[in-house]
Amino acid sequence: MRKVSPIADVVMHPVRLRIIQQLGDGRRVTTSDLRSALPDVPQATLYRHVAALVDAALIAVVDERRIRGAVERTFALGERMAHVDHDELREMGDRELQQSFLTFLAHLGEDFDRASAGPGFREFLGFGQVRLHVGADDLARIQAGLGELLAPYLTPPDGSDATTDRRTVMLSTVLMPDPADRPAEGPAERAGRSGPA
């Protein structure tokens, strides 16, 4: 049986992260869409990274059709990307996790730069930070509540309403412990720090 590579090992490459970002929010994209969205990536390189993501079940081929003798594939996120859990995060080493987060921030900055050049940018812009005081069960309830709140807005309008003023926005979230709020030390940790004077 073939060993499945950890998600971190597959997606650490910046091009692969960019491909996965194109498939966010349940979008389906063709190979032509990917070439248009990533014009700086050579076609052979793009196809090689797409193949690696398909092989790792991080993206899936959901449709194929023949166009002028060539096969045009349509991709969506695979099951593994749809259900990334804390076990996958725990498998990452410190350096992998830091690089992955910095890559996420870099692409967020790129998206900001591209969006800021368009009309109506500030009308749909918002960012901020808030502290929450939660336990693990609280986070599960918050995530479930957010999923229910956002569900009506995950599907694009069908175009039947000519007066719609909806635009597509990207909601990017980062959840991390407050570094100033350290867990209380137990007896073992205190004993380890309090050596002979």
Side-chain angles (χ1 to χ4, degrees):
M1 185 175 180
R2 183 174 61 88
K3 182 180 179 182
V4 178
S5 301
I7 286 179
D9 291 352
V10 182
V11 303
M12 282 304 299
H13 195 285
V15 172
R16 294 176 189 171
L17 282 173
R18 292 172 66 189
I19 292 170
I20 289 172
Q21 287 175 337
Q22 295 302 314
L23 295 165
D25 297 331
R27 292 193 299 269
R28 296 186 173 195
V29 300
T30 65
T31 45
S32 295
D33 295 331
L34 289 174
R35 289 197 304 269
S36 298
L38 283 69
D40 56 311
V41 180
Q43 182 171 313
T45 301
L46 179 64
Y47 287 175
R48 185 171 66 252
H49 288 302
V50 166
L53 291 168
V54 170
D55 187 56
L58 299 180
I59 67 175
V61 179
V62 295
D63 189 33
E64 290 183 338
R65 59 178 181 150
R66 189 167 293 278
I67 301 177
R68 295 189 295 275
V71 176
E72 177 83 310
R73 291 180 168 184
T74 301
F75 302 97
L77 287 181
E79 283 298 312
R80 292 186 71 199
M81 283 306 297
H83 303 286
V84 178
D85 56 23
H86 284 90
D87 289 339
E88 290 280 0
L89 289 176
R90 291 189 190 101
E91 288 180 6
M92 293 187 188
D94 290 346
R95 186 167 178 270
E96 289 177 325
L97 187 59
Q98 183 182 48
Q99 287 179 336
S100 182
F101 183 69
L102 291 176
T103 302
F104 166 78
L105 291 180
H107 287 303
L108 188 62
E110 291 175 4
D111 289 339
F112 182 92
D113 288 342
R114 286 195 295 269
S116 64
F121 169 64
R122 300 197 181 199
E123 182 181 355
F124 288 87
L125 174 68
F127 52 87
Q129 189 176 60
V130 62
R131 283 181 171 82
L132 305 176
H133 305 281
V134 298
D137 291 342
D138 300 317
L139 283 178
R141 282 193 294 271
I142 290 171
Q143 289 168 340
L146 282 175
E148 183 178 351
L149 176 67
L150 297 175
Y153 309 103
L154 298 179
T155 304
D158 59 11
S160 60
D161 182 3
T163 63
T164 182
D165 61 351
R166 286 190 181 183
R167 287 189 59 180
T168 300
V169 300
M170 292 179 290
L171 176 64
S172 303
T173 63
V174 176
L175 186 68
M176 70 177 94
D178 184 343
D181 185 15
R182 301 288 185 185
E185 289 184 339
E189 288 82 1
R190 287 195 296 270
R193 285 197 306 107
S194 57

